[in-house]
C-alpha cells in the first residue's frame, strides 16, 4: 500500500499560498555533502530540516557546523519565501562551479535558476538574506557564461546592502574573468570603504587587483592590510 507523505500545517499553508498567488516551482531535492553543508548560509542548515519529510536533509557525516536555531521572525520569513528552494539552488550552483562541464550541466543550471528565483521573488530586496540570494544568482549567471546579467543583479542589490562584503567579491570574480582589473579595483575600493577597511578578504583581492592592474605599491599596501587582518591565514 502506498503511504501518502505527511503534510504539516505550515507546509499546507505554503502550498495554498502558492496556489492562490499563481506561483509554482518544481522542487528537486538534493542532499548536501559535508563540504557543501559547511559552505551554505547558516540559515540554510535549518531550512533543510524545516522543509518537511520529503524535502529535508540531515547534517552530513564529516560536516564541521551544526544547524542553528532560527528566531521566530526568521522562521516566519523562511516559510514565506520557501527558503529550501534557494538553499538547494545554492548547492546546485556550487556543484556547477566545481565541475562546469558535467553532463547534466544544462539541466542543473535550469533547476538552480528556478530554485533561486523562486525564493528571491518572494523576499523583500532589503532583507539581508536577499543579498545572499542575489550573490548566488550572479554566480549562476557566471556559470551560464552571462557576465552582464551577473553584473546587473549585483548592481541592483549593491545600493541596498553596501556593507555586505560578498557582493563586492562576486563582482571581482566576474571582472577577473574579463581581465577588467581597473573595474575590480574600483568596486573593491568601494567595498573596503563601506565595510570600514577591516575585512581581510576584500583587502587581499584588492591587492591582487591592483597587482594585475600594474599598481605595485597599492598592491603591497593592501597585501599588508589583509595580512594584518589575518587573511588568508587565520
Amino acid at each position: 500500500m502506498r503511504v501518502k507523505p505527511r503534510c504539516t500545517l505550515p507546509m499546507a499553508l505554503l502550498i495554498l499560498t502558492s496556489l492562490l498567488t499563481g506561483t509554482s516551482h518544481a522542487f528537486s531535492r538534493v542532499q548536501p555533502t559535508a563540504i557543501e553543508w559547511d559552505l551554505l548560509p547558516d540559515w540554510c542548515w535549518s531550512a533543510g530540516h524545516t522543509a518537511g519529510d520529503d524535502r529535508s536533509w540531515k547534517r552530513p557525516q564529516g560536516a564541521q557546523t551544526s544547524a542553528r536555531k532560527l528566531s521566530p521572525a526568521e522562521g516566519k520569513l523562511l516559510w514565506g519565501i520557501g527558503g529550501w528552494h534557494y538553499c538547494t539552488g545554492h548547492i546546485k550552483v556550487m556543484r556547477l562551479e566545481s565541475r562546469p562541464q558535467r553532463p547534466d550541466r544544462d539541466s542543473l543550471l535550469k533547476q538552480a535558476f528556478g530554485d533561486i528565483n523562486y525564493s528571491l521573488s518572494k523576499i523583500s530586496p532589503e532583507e539581508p538574506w536577499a543579498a545572499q540570494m542575489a550573490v548566488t544568482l550572479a554566480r549562476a549567471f557566471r556559470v551560464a557564461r552571462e557576465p552582464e546579467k551577473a553584473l546587473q543583479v549585483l548592481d541592483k542589490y549593491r545600493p541596498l546592502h553596501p556593507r555586505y562584503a560578498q557582493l563586492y567579491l562576486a563582482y571581482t570574480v566576474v571582472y577577473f574573468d574579463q581581465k577588467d582589473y581597473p573595474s575590480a579595483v574600483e568596486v573593491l575600493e568601494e567595498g573596503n570603504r563601506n565595510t570600514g577597511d577591516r575585512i581581510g578578504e576584500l583587502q587581499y583581492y584588492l591587492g591582487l587587483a591592483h597587482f594585475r592592474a600594474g599598481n605595485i605599491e597599492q598592491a603591497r599596501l593592501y597585501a599588508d592590510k589583509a595580512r594584518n587582518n589575518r587573511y588568508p591565514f587565520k
Side-chain angles (χ1 to χ4, degrees):
M1 182 178 71
R2 185 177 180 183
V3 179
K4 294 183 179 180
R6 179 172 58 86
C7 185
T8 63
L9 179 58
M11 185 174 289
L13 291 173
L14 182 63
I15 294 170
L16 178 60
T17 301
S18 296
L19 291 172
L20 291 174
T21 59
T23 302
S24 62
H25 169 64
F27 181 81
S28 177
R29 173 187 173 184
V30 294
Q31 173 63 38
T33 66
I35 292 175
E36 290 168 346
W37 174 277
D38 290 334
L39 291 174
L40 284 169
D42 61 0
W43 59 271
C44 279
W45 307 329
S46 296
H49 292 294
T50 308
D53 289 345
D54 59 336
R55 305 169 189 228
S56 63
W57 56 55
K58 296 180 180 179
R59 179 175 178 268
Q61 184 175 1
Q64 301 298 308
T65 51
S66 300
R68 73 172 176 86
K69 185 176 181 180
L70 298 180
S71 69
E74 288 176 319
K76 182 178 180 180
L77 179 60
L78 175 65
W79 276 108
I81 65 174
W84 50 91
H85 288 270
Y86 160 72
C87 296
T88 56
H90 188 112
I91 294 169
K92 291 167 187 175
V93 170
M94 288 193 285
R95 292 179 180 179
L96 287 159
E97 289 174 330
S98 65
R99 190 183 170 195
Q101 303 305 320
R102 55 188 298 146
D104 61 345
R105 174 187 180 277
D106 292 345
S107 172
L108 200 62
L109 190 56
K110 182 178 179 180
Q111 290 176 30
F113 278 123
D115 291 330
I116 298 163
N117 281 315
Y118 179 91
S119 295
L120 190 56
S121 69
K122 292 176 173 291
I123 192 170
S124 167
E126 289 81 14
E127 286 283 352
W129 290 0
Q132 295 178 326
M133 295 179 188
V135 167
T136 309
L137 182 59
R139 289 166 59 183
F141 278 123
R142 176 178 174 261
V143 171
R145 303 185 186 94
E146 297 185 82
E148 293 307 316
K149 289 185 178 180
L151 294 174
Q152 288 171 10
V153 171
L154 298 172
D155 285 344
K156 176 180 177 181
Y157 285 87
R158 190 173 90 214
L160 302 173
H161 303 276
R163 291 185 291 277
Y164 185 51
Q166 293 301 319
L167 274 167
Y168 302 100
L169 293 169
Y171 275 103
T172 304
V173 176
V174 176
Y175 286 139
F176 273 37
D177 286 345
Q178 299 173 331
K179 295 182 169 53
D180 185 358
Y181 304 119
S183 292
V185 166
E186 182 179 354
V187 75
L188 284 166
E189 285 183 339
E190 177 187 327
N192 189 51
R193 289 193 303 272
N194 288 343
T195 55
D197 193 26
R198 59 183 177 80
I199 296 182
E201 189 174 6
L202 281 177
Q203 293 162 342
Y204 175 86
Y205 282 102
L206 182 49
L208 185 58
H210 272 299
F211 177 78
R212 293 188 175 180
N215 308 323
I216 304 304
E217 289 306 313
Q218 288 294 97
R220 289 194 181 116
L221 170 66
Y222 284 104
D224 288 341
K225 286 190 174 189
R227 190 180 303 112
N228 290 337
N229 282 313
R230 306 179 69 186
Y231 189 89
F233 304 108
K234 296 183 178 180

